[in-house]
Amino acid sequence: MIIVLKPGVSDEQVNHVVQRIESLGLKAHLSRGTYRTIIGVIGDEAKLQSTPLQAIAGVAEVIPVLPPYKLASREAHPEPSVVDVSGVKIGGGYLAMISGPCAIEGAERLDAIAGAVKAAGANILRGGAFKPRTSPYAYQGMGEDGLKILRDIGDKHGLPVVTEVMDPRRVELVERYADMIQVGARNMQNFSLLTEVGSTRKPVLLKRGMSATVVDLLMSAEYILSQGNPNVVLCERGIKGFDNATRNLYDVAAVPQVKLLSHLPIIVDPSHATGRPDLIPACALAGVAAGADGVHIEVHNCPEQAMSDGPQALLPEQYAEVMKQIRSIAAVLGKKVSPLPAPVEV
Amino acid sequence: MIIVLKPGVSDEQVNHVVQRIESLGLKAHLSRGTYRTIIGVIGDEAKLQSTPLQAIAGVAEVIPVLPPYKLASREAHPEPSVVDVSGVKIGGGYLAMISGPCAIEGAERLDAIAGAVKAAGANILRGGAFKPRTSPYAYQGMGEDGLKILRDIGDKHGLPVVTEVMDPRRVELVERYADMIQVGARNMQNFSLLTEVGSTRKPVLLKRGMSATVVDLLMSAEYILSQGNPNVVLCERGIKGFDNATRNLYDVAAVPQVKLLSHLPIIVDPSHATGRPDLIPACALAGVAAGADGVHIEVHNCPEQAMSDGPQALLPEQYAEVMKQIRSIAAVLGKKVSPLPAPVEV
Amino acid sequence: MIIVLKPGVSDEQVNHVVQRIESLGLKAHLSRGTYRTIIGVIGDEAKLQSTPLQAIAGVAEVIPVLPPYKLASREAHPEPSVVDVSGVKIGGGYLAMISGPCAIEGAERLDAIAGAVKAAGANILRGGAFKPRTSPYAYQGMGEDGLKILRDIGDKHGLPVVTEVMDPRRVELVERYADMIQVGARNMQNFSLLTEVGSTRKPVLLKRGMSATVVDLLMSAEYILSQGNPNVVLCERGIKGFDNATRNLYDVAAVPQVKLLSHLPIIVDPSHATGRPDLIPACALAGVAAGADGVHIEVHNCPEQAMSDGPQALLPEQYAEVMKQIRSIAAVLGKKVSPLPAPVEV
Amino acid sequence: MIIVLKPGVSDEQVNHVVQRIESLGLKAHLSRGTYRTIIGVIGDEAKLQSTPLQAIAGVAEVIPVLPPYKLASREAHPEPSVVDVSGVKIGGGYLAMISGPCAIEGAERLDAIAGAVKAAGANILRGGAFKPRTSPYAYQGMGEDGLKILRDIGDKHGLPVVTEVMDPRRVELVERYADMIQVGARNMQNFSLLTEVGSTRKPVLLKRGMSATVVDLLMSAEYILSQGNPNVVLCERGIKGFDNATRNLYDVAAVPQVKLLSHLPIIVDPSHATGRPDLIPACALAGVAAGADGVHIEVHNCPEQAMSDGPQALLPEQYAEVMKQIRSIAAVLGKKVSPLPAPVEV
């Protein structure tokens, strides 16, 4: 940690800061410059992280040197993590292809969509049973009935399933049905929910909040990891931008940033990032080329009848087309779509 | 609702859209332009809000004409609402002056701060017992012990108290101790939490999320209102911006925007909006001048020992200084700081 | 300047950095921490500003300690500057009330508007002769004919005039007619233009670019100041934000930020910041309450016939109403609208 | 164009709007809904574009249906344009690989870098002679001497050259030396400069401004096209974002957006978009995968001695590595790096 003092700081103020540092068992290393005085803090920076040094008179700026996350950092785990979702691998050269409708709307429809995306190459089935809707008057999802349908259809097609949980009181319920639990963008800093999913051992798909920096995303992952659940997969799904031509702003550079800072896998979600089917294929390819460990794309066989987010879904045939190119680009980078687990004999 | 069709749309596609509209009991009014065809939908637009018209082939754009919120709208309630927090009025010419430390750290300290802010003119005491911290390793608050202290100190000074709740499972607990419940920026779209506080009748202080538009904020208020709780006070506390010189970007224009669209009171929080004590006074005055129904400012008597957000707190004497100017500016606009309720005889 | 080295940096790399620093006549002060090594640079930081230290192997981060602007800084000029625009003072307790139509559209209309805004209390007349329009097909302004009209009407009413220049080849022309030269937001980093207006001695109204930080704005002011022209007035007029309900995002906190960093006056322009007449009055008051040295508001007597930006203009009677409240709020802060210069005897 | 009227608009107000429309030779088509009245305008929308309908009493919103650009639109030119830069093709399946140092610093250095990037596969050489620097005290470039060096080194290696112009007074000079003229991000809305480069017939590399939407970028291209110069290549180089971990926010989705709206080629510049060599390779690949017609990467053989932007340059060997992967990904999409023109016999 580096503490930059204000111009014209008094000796007394400097001493006060030094004493605070030393009282925590750390060493202060003073550099008096022509214009400014700076203090380098030597020792375990974590001890200082909850001390409001910046509030001390004479302090201009406090600059941390260590990242505020630990378990999520590359330093803690130099090799890339591979998260196993009931047999499907994510990371370490294996790509997750997560696909399905925005909301679960019934068994028949989900069955048709699951069959189509599996045929195209998807290896994880998604579908929302509890939907975070901006309007209290919009469709809120089928709840537990939806979870049952998702589980059944997943089993029928041999696809692991992922679904979102929004309420800490429902984590146990969702855990019972799903192979992977999704924490949505709006809940990325719902710390009660993060703590709750961290206390399970289910893989968690953690979506980046719309106003979260990459470090914020890693801090939220740290909440889950620090509860003992190591199975976290991050997801870039668009942040707030000023150009309303797209629903969000797809930050593809987050992918290599996460790779540099963390061992956790990261996938991309061009469906939510753009909200436009005409941009999803190009953005999916861009994500894979940037190094993503998977792609999340919403697919619906009749978007105009979808209960939620229909306009942003790809048709099954469009999805199949993108999958072909994803495979070719993955191959350029020496990666491949994770195979499905062998079907269990009954 | 206006539906803009794509150039070169076929008659068959136009008819399909018209049929969808009419099947919902609405009337479609077709305008064929030189370059584009548009359809005006006549009838109750709400019927269409969950229909994904945009996903129909040939549709270029769907433009809603009515606001998606109802109970929060000026149309529903032309007069400004006045929310009563245990005797302190917010709105309709009365200003709330909410102040106190970021976190409750103990009875003695809170007592000292409460006395100081009351003397300066604050009329509601704040203090966090459950803290939403970006890091799982940072101080998380005193929990129920903190709530008890807050209640006691509030009672001692005759100040109603407000505190944040983050977890739907704790709404009942917080409701027991607080006069007003705060939903923080990170939880503005935590719909489970909104529904839960909506089912109480306690006044709710709803803070704007960092990536929320003004309409998003009103939609979250609508969640609470639609549960039957009419006591919502909005709070502008800064959104994400590109200039890291301040913690957030203080969007003072949100105040008059809310006034035009809604009857709900709105206050400003320059402490979180800027994160800098040297900017808080000017931004507090700006908020009042823009028409805010109150100001939320964090005050601490020893910021360098604060457990949370110390660097952004004002000292009690700085707060007293700002309060003087706030009163003068409020007077220019014909408003005044709400008086405290008369002390209850025992 | 502080140089943070990467973890695991070699001694050789450290020495290489130290040598680079010393070769520039500066002193390097090494702090070896448990996890990181940092180097404090002692001496004239400016010598290092064009040296790409960050590109040296082993360097993680370079953190400047001094601001990159000099002439614009508070350190260089501790007292607030007062800029004199042909007798109207801006700064040091005097407010500029700049008003007029977006574009000059003819003598008669400008005469009527000038009379109205002067009666309401404006002290500088604005009007565009060269208009920066996003579309090449939009109205581009009257050019020199417009400048002549502006000069004549300004003289008739005894109001100094300000108008925008976009092309370095026209600075001389504009200088001939105007009392103050405006550099628009889109040209805030048009360095050729800044250099050219810096070589005049006319007061310059420098508008903040839509993606400029406060420091970027001060750096652009520095371009003008460094050419020898000390008469710079800054203007906050909205930056890019994600909520399209307003044209731009009004960053009122920029006002106190500039006051802390610089001696230059700063005014606000709620017309361009919001683009909405229904928000301009509240935002104007907010700007004055935040400490602005003036307000720029577009006024038109028939907005629906305006050649440019009609929808964002106030009517003269709306302007008169705002002016009353501006004066009251200015008085609270111990400021006043600058009086007009005494009329010259002929 | 669609005009949405305010609730409770009077018949008189409706008639006034209709008359304005009809007075321009257009037809107004009225739809009176239950809650709102809307007017569809039939005829040539361009006639209305400079009429401030929004300022008319009773008008709530004016929604254009046609894009405000014409020559840049896909409608005007359904086939993708291929821009020829002295024999190197950009667009239509051919990729431009533009590379070189940020600033021209001398013949010897440029020669070495040019040799290296050509060997790696670059087909256009870049180098700045006039540098837009945020600080007036930073290195401003070699000027005409730099242009001469660039021309000579380009000729020596058989590479066409591109360089930036910032001042309309220097367009003629730059045109004399360069094969392609760059308009930088800060000047994207410098309309005098756009008009000037539009009056040449040289290919123009138009970089997206940091606060420009995709439509803003196309409008700036329209300025150039409308002057008669059809040779415009767009460039995505990062926009303003809230996460300061990267210099700008790389908006890769702009690539497919431009492809849908326009026939103009678009390349990506991950050097300026990220400002970080450790992110450039992944972002370059993402751009090509998203459909870009080329990649602009800054390369320097000794970044720590670069006069400008050294820290963001790739080393020649890093560039060669990326080029290999770019070629593979281009092949997946059926594209290839444009070959160099055959050397001219002397």
Side-chain angles (χ1 to χ4, degrees):
Chain A
M1 193 166 277
I2 301 162
I3 299 164
V4 183
L5 301 177
K6 288 184 181 161
V9 68
S10 71
D11 282 355
E12 197 184 351
Q13 288 174 320
V14 175
N15 290 341
H16 180 60
V17 178
V18 169
Q19 278 161 23
R20 281 296 293 271
I21 292 165
E22 292 179 345
S23 72
L24 292 159
L26 301 162
K27 277 176 65 181
H29 194 282
L30 210 67
S31 308
R32 288 192 173 275
T34 313
Y35 306 103
R36 287 295 183 93
T37 294
I38 61 177
I39 302 174
V41 179
I42 298 173
D44 182 4
E45 184 171 314
K47 289 189 188 169
L48 274 176
Q49 262 164 1
S50 53
T51 304
L53 294 166
Q54 202 140 11
I56 302 181
V59 173
E61 213 175 339
V62 176
I63 303 160
V65 167
L66 288 183
Y69 46 88
K70 291 167 203 172
L71 303 170
S73 74
R74 269 255 169 233
E75 283 77 30
H77 190 300
E79 288 307 300
S81 286
V82 181
V83 173
D84 184 298
V85 181
S86 303
V88 170
K89 288 180 191 148
I90 310 179
Y94 291 100
L95 301 190
M97 289 297 139
I98 304 178
S99 191
C102 181
I104 300 158
E105 301 162 21
E108 205 175 335
R109 172 145 287 158
L110 188 63
D111 190 16
I113 297 172
V117 299
K118 185 185 174 185
N123 50 20
I124 297 181
L125 180 65
R126 67 146 283 135
F130 300 102
K131 299 300 307 167
R133 301 304 296 272
T134 310
S135 166
Y137 311 120
Y139 179 68
Q140 309 275 328
M142 290 184 75
E144 187 168 0
D145 288 347
L147 294 176
K148 284 180 188 158
I149 292 172
L150 181 64
R151 180 73 272 157
D152 288 349
I153 302 297
D155 286 346
K156 177 175 169 192
H157 293 277
L159 290 169
V161 299
V162 59
T163 196
E164 179 167 356
V165 67
M166 300 192 300
D167 190 322
R169 294 169 296 192
R170 294 218 183 93
V171 169
E172 208 190 313
L173 176 72
V174 171
E175 192 190 354
R176 217 146 61 216
Y177 291 98
D179 299 289
M180 183 179 214
I181 302 175
Q182 178 182 313
V183 173
R186 287 174 180 78
N187 285 307
M188 193 202 85
Q189 294 193 320
N190 180 339
F191 301 119
S192 305
L193 186 63
L194 296 177
T195 302
E196 206 68 33
V197 300
S199 70
T200 77
R201 292 300 171 267
K202 275 279 158 85
V204 177
L205 181 60
L206 177 64
K207 297 192 130 191
R208 180 180 181 187
M210 282 163 282
S211 58
T213 63
V214 168
V215 168
D216 289 338
L217 176 59
L218 292 173
M219 289 307 292
S220 286
E222 190 82 11
Y223 258 91
I224 301 170
L225 298 170
S226 68
Q227 293 295 319
N229 185 347
N231 302 305
V232 178
V233 175
L234 307 172
C235 181
E236 160 60 30
R237 46 78 74 208
I239 53 176
K240 272 284 167 178
F242 57 77
D243 192 344
N244 284 21
T246 51
R247 183 162 162 177
N248 290 293
L249 180 45
Y250 181 43
D251 180 16
V252 82
V255 173
Q257 277 187 76
V258 163
K259 293 286 169 202
L260 288 167
L261 300 172
S262 177
H263 55 93
L264 297 173
I266 178 165
I267 70 167
V268 292
D269 172 358
S271 298
H272 288 89
T274 67
R276 285 176 49 177
D278 52 1
L279 302 177
I280 291 171
C283 290
L285 301 184
V288 175
D293 300 300
V295 182
H296 175 286
I297 293 180
E298 287 187 358
V299 171
H300 200 283
N301 57 4
C302 185
E304 71 174 84
Q305 289 176 8
M307 303 296 287
S308 170
D309 276 354
Q312 80 184 27
L314 287 193
L315 293 167
E317 53 270 29
Q318 293 171 318
Y319 183 66
E321 199 57 45
V322 189
M323 277 300 301
K324 275 188 222 161
Q325 291 186 299
I326 286 177
R327 273 189 288 257
S328 302
I329 287 184
V332 168
L333 303 179
K335 294 181 174 180
K336 62 175 177 179
V337 174
S338 173
L340 285 172
V344 185
E345 299 255 346
V346 199
Chain B
M1 193 167 277
I2 301 161
I3 300 164
V4 183
L5 301 176
K6 289 184 182 161
V9 68
S10 71
D11 282 354
E12 198 185 351
Q13 288 173 319
V14 175
N15 290 341
H16 180 59
V17 178
V18 169
Q19 277 160 24
R20 280 297 294 270
I21 292 165
E22 293 179 346
S23 72
L24 291 160
L26 301 162
K27 278 176 66 181
H29 194 280
L30 210 68
S31 309
R32 287 191 175 277
T34 315
Y35 305 105
R36 287 293 184 93
T37 295
I38 61 177
I39 301 174
V41 179
I42 298 172
D44 182 4
E45 184 171 318
K47 290 189 187 167
L48 275 175
Q49 261 164 4
S50 53
T51 305
L53 294 166
Q54 201 141 14
I56 302 182
V59 173
E61 214 174 338
V62 177
I63 303 162
V65 167
L66 287 183
Y69 46 88
K70 290 166 204 172
L71 303 170
S73 74
R74 269 255 169 232
E75 283 76 31
H77 191 300
E79 289 307 300
S81 286
V82 181
V83 173
D84 184 299
V85 180
S86 303
V88 170
K89 287 180 191 147
I90 311 179
Y94 292 99
L95 302 189
M97 289 296 139
I98 304 177
S99 190
C102 181
I104 300 158
E105 300 163 20
E108 205 174 337
R109 171 146 288 159
L110 188 63
D111 190 17
I113 297 172
V117 298
K118 185 185 174 186
N123 51 18
I124 297 181
L125 179 66
R126 67 146 284 135
F130 301 102
K131 299 300 308 166
R133 303 302 297 272
T134 311
S135 166
Y137 311 120
Y139 178 69
Q140 308 275 329
M142 291 184 76
E144 188 169 358
D145 288 347
L147 294 177
K148 284 181 189 159
I149 292 172
L150 181 64
R151 181 72 272 159
D152 288 348
I153 301 296
D155 287 345
K156 176 174 168 192
H157 294 276
L159 291 169
V161 299
V162 58
T163 196
E164 179 167 356
V165 67
M166 300 193 300
D167 190 323
R169 295 169 296 192
R170 293 217 183 94
V171 169
E172 207 191 313
L173 175 73
V174 171
E175 194 190 352
R176 217 148 58 216
Y177 291 99
D179 299 288
M180 184 180 213
I181 303 175
Q182 178 182 313
V183 173
R186 287 175 179 77
N187 285 308
M188 192 202 84
Q189 294 193 319
N190 180 338
F191 302 118
S192 305
L193 185 64
L194 295 177
T195 302
E196 207 65 42
V197 299
S199 69
T200 76
R201 292 300 170 266
K202 276 279 158 85
V204 177
L205 180 61
L206 177 64
K207 297 192 130 191
R208 181 181 182 188
M210 281 163 283
S211 59
T213 63
V214 168
V215 169
D216 289 338
L217 175 59
L218 292 174
M219 289 306 292
S220 287
E222 189 81 10
Y223 259 92
I224 301 171
L225 298 171
S226 68
Q227 292 295 318
N229 185 347
N231 303 304
V232 177
V233 175
L234 307 172
C235 181
E236 160 59 32
R237 46 77 74 208
I239 53 177
K240 272 283 167 178
F242 57 75
D243 191 344
N244 284 21
T246 51
R247 184 161 161 178
N248 289 293
L249 180 44
Y250 180 44
D251 180 16
V252 83
V255 173
Q257 277 187 79
V258 163
K259 293 286 169 203
L260 288 167
L261 299 172
S262 177
H263 56 92
L264 297 173
I266 177 165
I267 70 166
V268 293
D269 172 358
S271 297
H272 287 90
T274 67
R276 284 176 49 177
D278 52 1
L279 302 177
I280 290 171
C283 290
L285 301 185
V288 174
D293 300 300
V295 182
H296 174 287
I297 293 180
E298 287 186 359
V299 170
H300 201 284
N301 57 4
C302 185
E304 70 174 85
Q305 289 176 8
M307 303 297 285
S308 171
D309 276 353
Q312 80 185 25
L314 287 194
L315 293 167
E317 54 269 30
Q318 293 171 318
Y319 182 66
E321 199 56 47
V322 189
M323 276 300 301
K324 273 187 223 161
Q325 291 186 300
I326 286 177
R327 272 189 289 257
S328 303
I329 287 185
V332 168
L333 303 180
K335 295 181 174 182
K336 62 175 177 178
V337 173
S338 172
L340 285 172
V344 185
E345 298 255 346
V346 200
Chain C
M1 193 167 276
I2 301 162
I3 299 164
V4 183
L5 301 177
K6 289 185 180 161
V9 69
S10 71
D11 282 354
E12 197 184 351
Q13 287 174 320
V14 175
N15 290 342
H16 180 60
V17 178
V18 169
Q19 277 161 24
R20 280 297 294 270
I21 292 164
E22 293 179 345
S23 72
L24 291 159
L26 302 162
K27 278 175 65 180
H29 194 280
L30 211 67
S31 309
R32 287 191 173 276
T34 315
Y35 305 103
R36 288 296 184 92
T37 296
I38 60 176
I39 302 174
V41 179
I42 298 172
D44 181 5
E45 184 172 316
K47 287 187 187 170
L48 274 177
Q49 261 162 4
S50 53
T51 305
L53 295 164
Q54 202 141 12
I56 301 181
V59 173
E61 213 174 338
V62 176
I63 302 160
V65 167
L66 287 183
Y69 47 87
K70 290 167 204 171
L71 302 171
S73 74
R74 269 257 169 232
E75 283 77 30
H77 191 300
E79 289 306 302
S81 285
V82 180
V83 172
D84 184 298
V85 180
S86 302
V88 170
K89 287 180 192 150
I90 310 180
Y94 292 100
L95 302 188
M97 289 296 139
I98 304 178
S99 191
C102 180
I104 300 158
E105 299 163 20
E108 207 175 333
R109 170 146 288 159
L110 188 62
D111 190 16
I113 296 172
V117 299
K118 185 184 174 184
N123 51 19
I124 296 181
L125 180 65
R126 68 145 283 134
F130 300 102
K131 299 301 307 167
R133 301 305 296 273
T134 310
S135 165
Y137 310 119
Y139 179 68
Q140 308 276 326
M142 291 184 74
E144 187 168 0
D145 288 348
L147 294 176
K148 283 180 189 159
I149 291 172
L150 181 64
R151 180 73 273 158
D152 287 350
I153 302 296
D155 286 346
K156 178 175 167 191
H157 294 276
L159 291 168
V161 299
V162 58
T163 196
E164 179 167 356
V165 67
M166 300 192 300
D167 190 321
R169 294 169 296 192
R170 293 218 183 94
V171 170
E172 207 190 313
L173 176 72
V174 171
E175 192 190 354
R176 218 149 57 217
Y177 290 98
D179 299 289
M180 184 179 213
I181 302 174
Q182 177 181 315
V183 173
R186 288 175 178 77
N187 285 308
M188 192 203 85
Q189 293 193 320
N190 180 338
F191 302 118
S192 305
L193 186 64
L194 295 177
T195 302
E196 206 66 40
V197 300
S199 69
T200 76
R201 291 302 170 265
K202 275 280 159 83
V204 177
L205 181 60
L206 177 64
K207 297 191 129 190
R208 181 180 180 188
M210 281 163 282
S211 59
T213 62
V214 168
V215 168
D216 289 338
L217 175 60
L218 292 173
M219 290 307 291
S220 287
E222 189 83 10
Y223 258 91
I224 301 171
L225 297 170
S226 68
Q227 292 295 318
N229 186 348
N231 303 305
V232 177
V233 176
L234 307 172
C235 181
E236 160 60 30
R237 46 77 75 207
I239 54 177
K240 272 283 167 179
F242 57 76
D243 191 345
N244 284 21
T246 50
R247 184 162 162 177
N248 290 294
L249 180 44
Y250 180 43
D251 181 15
V252 82
V255 173
Q257 277 187 77
V258 163
K259 293 286 170 204
L260 288 167
L261 300 172
S262 176
H263 55 92
L264 296 174
I266 177 164
I267 70 167
V268 292
D269 173 358
S271 298
H272 288 88
T274 67
R276 286 177 47 178
D278 52 2
L279 302 176
I280 292 171
C283 290
L285 301 185
V288 174
D293 301 299
V295 182
H296 175 286
I297 293 181
E298 286 186 358
V299 171
H300 200 283
N301 56 4
C302 184
E304 71 174 84
Q305 289 177 8
M307 303 297 287
S308 171
D309 276 353
Q312 81 184 27
L314 287 193
L315 293 168
E317 52 271 29
Q318 293 171 317
Y319 182 66
E321 200 55 45
V322 189
M323 277 299 302
K324 274 188 222 158
Q325 291 187 298
I326 287 177
R327 273 189 288 255
S328 303
I329 288 185
V332 169
L333 303 180
K335 294 181 174 182
K336 63 175 178 177
V337 174
S338 173
L340 286 171
V344 185
E345 299 254 346
V346 198
Chain D
M1 193 166 277
I2 300 162
I3 300 165
V4 183
L5 301 176
K6 289 184 180 161
V9 67
S10 71
D11 282 355
E12 198 184 351
Q13 288 174 320
V14 174
N15 290 340
H16 180 59
V17 178
V18 169
Q19 277 160 23
R20 281 296 294 271
I21 292 165
E22 293 179 346
S23 72
L24 291 159
L26 302 162
K27 278 176 67 182
H29 195 280
L30 211 67
S31 308
R32 288 192 175 274
T34 314
Y35 305 105
R36 288 294 183 92
T37 295
I38 59 175
I39 302 174
V41 179
I42 298 172
D44 182 4
E45 184 171 316
K47 288 188 188 168
L48 274 176
Q49 261 164 3
S50 53
T51 305
L53 294 166
Q54 202 141 12
I56 301 182
V59 173
E61 215 175 338
V62 177
I63 304 160
V65 167
L66 288 182
Y69 46 87
K70 291 165 203 173
L71 303 170
S73 74
R74 269 256 169 232
E75 282 76 31
H77 191 299
E79 289 306 300
S81 286
V82 181
V83 173
D84 185 298
V85 181
S86 303
V88 170
K89 287 180 192 147
I90 311 180
Y94 291 100
L95 302 189
M97 290 295 140
I98 304 179
S99 191
C102 180
I104 300 158
E105 300 163 18
E108 206 175 334
R109 171 146 287 159
L110 188 63
D111 191 16
I113 297 172
V117 298
K118 186 185 174 183
N123 50 20
I124 297 182
L125 179 65
R126 66 146 282 135
F130 300 101
K131 299 300 307 166
R133 302 305 296 273
T134 310
S135 166
Y137 311 119
Y139 179 67
Q140 308 275 328
M142 290 184 74
E144 187 168 0
D145 288 348
L147 294 176
K148 283 181 189 158
I149 291 171
L150 180 65
R151 182 73 269 159
D152 287 350
I153 302 296
D155 287 345
K156 178 175 167 190
H157 293 276
L159 290 168
V161 299
V162 59
T163 196
E164 179 167 356
V165 67
M166 299 193 299
D167 190 322
R169 295 169 295 192
R170 292 215 183 95
V171 169
E172 207 190 314
L173 176 72
V174 171
E175 192 190 353
R176 217 147 60 218
Y177 290 99
D179 299 288
M180 184 180 213
I181 302 175
Q182 177 182 313
V183 173
R186 287 175 180 78
N187 285 307
M188 193 203 85
Q189 292 193 321
N190 180 337
F191 302 118
S192 304
L193 185 64
L194 295 177
T195 302
E196 205 68 32
V197 300
S199 69
T200 76
R201 292 302 170 266
K202 275 280 159 83
V204 176
L205 181 61
L206 178 64
K207 297 192 130 192
R208 181 180 180 188
M210 282 163 282
S211 58
T213 63
V214 168
V215 168
D216 288 339
L217 175 60
L218 291 174
M219 289 307 291
S220 286
E222 189 81 10
Y223 258 92
I224 301 170
L225 298 170
S226 68
Q227 293 294 317
N229 185 349
N231 303 304
V232 177
V233 176
L234 307 172
C235 181
E236 160 60 32
R237 46 78 75 206
I239 54 177
K240 272 284 166 178
F242 57 76
D243 191 344
N244 284 21
T246 51
R247 184 162 160 177
N248 290 294
L249 179 45
Y250 180 43
D251 180 16
V252 82
V255 173
Q257 277 187 77
V258 163
K259 293 286 170 204
L260 288 167
L261 300 172
S262 177
H263 55 92
L264 297 173
I266 177 165
I267 70 167
V268 292
D269 172 358
S271 298
H272 287 90
T274 67
R276 286 177 47 178
D278 52 2
L279 302 177
I280 291 171
C283 290
L285 301 185
V288 174
D293 301 299
V295 183
H296 174 287
I297 293 180
E298 287 186 358
V299 170
H300 201 283
N301 57 4
C302 185
E304 70 174 85
Q305 288 176 9
M307 303 296 286
S308 170
D309 276 352
Q312 81 184 27
L314 287 193
L315 293 168
E317 52 270 29
Q318 293 171 317
Y319 183 66
E321 200 57 44
V322 189
M323 277 300 301
K324 275 187 221 160
Q325 291 187 298
I326 286 177
R327 272 189 288 256
S328 303
I329 287 184
V332 169
L333 304 179
K335 295 181 174 182
K336 63 175 179 177
V337 174
S338 173
L340 285 172
V344 186
E345 299 255 344
V346 198

